[in-house]
Amino acid sequence: EAGVAQSPRYKIIEKRQSVAFWCNPISGHATLYWYQQILGQGPKLLIQFQNNGVVDDSQLPKDRFSAERLKGVDSTLKIQPAKLEDSAVYLCASSSTRQGAIAEAFFGQGTRLTVV
Amino acid sequence: SQQGEEDPQALSIQEGENATMNCSYKTSINNLQWYRQNSGRGLVHLILIRSNEREKHSGRLRVTLDTSKKSSSLLITASRAADTASYFCATVKGAQKLVFGQGTRLTINP
């Protein structure tokens, strides 16, 4: 079974520039997550999709961040314009459901973003 | 906002000893999950325990859940150097969100 694929692995941009991250979840997984992980902290949920609908985006800074999941499969996360505090690892994960609740999530390797 | 809070934030033990990490949460949950993260890598799922379960085992891992105290513990027995990593608990509640705590950094000294 192929895992969650993310690209790019690393990205360095200047502040006020834009950047996009791509995620391909495990085939058949209806739920897709984007997390932001700052060094030394736990992953912070930015947005969660169920198929191509948004379950939660309460912590997504919508003035600069946007995400979409076309056709309920691949997803992109965009930041425009980037700020220094956006420097973090962006993790994509996917999961299925079991007995009506979210089962274990499978994570990609993440994209390390550095904003200078 | 973070749902689970791990304790301790950091733990350093000798190889062969047992390591215990705790997780407390605030609201009712459907299930609670534990993950491991090696430095610079993605998270790896370890164990899922449902709200109607009290204990689960997987190899050297033992997870307990006390819903009355809203807490869970992860026990790693006979630790190895390869267990050095950060460990996170994550809760799934009514809205089906998967929310992580801040983690415990475990160091196993040879």
Side-chain angles (χ1 to χ4, degrees), chain A residues 35 37 42 48 59 102 105, chain B residues 1 31 35 37 96 98 102:
Chain A
Y35 289 90
Q37 187 175 26
Q48 179 174 333
Q59 297 197 86
I102 290 175
Chain B
S1 62
N31 66 62
Y35 290 78
Q37 185 176 38
Q96 302 284 312
L98 183 63
Q102 295 292 354

Side-chain angles (χ1 to χ4, degrees), chain A residues 36-83:
Chain A
Q36 178 194 61
Q37 187 175 26
I38 293 172
L39 187 63
Q41 298 183 17
K44 170 186 168 184
L45 180 64
L46 293 177
I47 188 166
Q48 179 174 333
F49 293 95
Q50 182 76 14
N51 296 307
N52 60 347
V54 175
V55 171
D56 185 273
D57 63 357
S58 58
Q59 297 197 86
L60 186 73
K62 298 180 186 62
D63 57 335
R64 298 185 300 107
F65 286 63
S66 64
E68 61 181 5
R69 189 182 185 194
L70 298 176
K71 301 180 182 178
V73 182
D74 292 7
S75 178
T76 56
L77 176 69
K78 297 179 182 177
I79 307 175
Q80 182 180 11
K83 293 185 176 181

Side-chain angles (χ1 to χ4, degrees), chain B residues 34-79:
Chain B
W34 285 92
Y35 290 78
R36 182 186 72 227
Q37 185 176 38
N38 292 89
S39 181
R41 308 293 294 273
L43 282 81
V44 174
H45 180 266
L46 297 175
I47 287 184
L48 181 154
I49 187 166
R50 294 185 176 81
S51 60
N52 61 352
E53 298 175 313
R54 293 296 168 260
E55 187 171 314
K56 286 191 82 169
H57 296 255
S58 177
R60 294 183 295 112
L61 306 181
R62 172 178 169 252
V63 167
T64 61
L65 178 65
D66 187 335
T67 53
S68 66
K69 295 181 179 179
K70 292 186 172 57
S71 67
S72 174
S73 67
L74 170 66
L75 169 66
I76 304 174
T77 60
S79 63

Side-chain angles (χ1 to χ4, degrees), chain A residues 4-13 19-23 34-38 75 77 79 86-92 107-114, chain B residues 37 40-42:
Chain A
V4 176
Q6 285 189 251
S7 67
R9 285 295 311 277
Y10 306 93
K11 191 74 176 178
I12 300 174
I13 62 172
V19 64
F21 312 127
W22 173 83
C23 174
W34 283 103
Y35 289 90
Q36 178 194 61
Q37 187 175 26
I38 293 172
S75 178
L77 176 69
I79 307 175
D86 298 332
S87 294
V89 175
Y90 291 83
L91 296 164
C92 179
F107 281 79
Q109 294 286 14
T111 296
R112 183 177 299 276
L113 174 68
T114 302
Chain B
Q37 185 176 38
R41 308 293 294 273

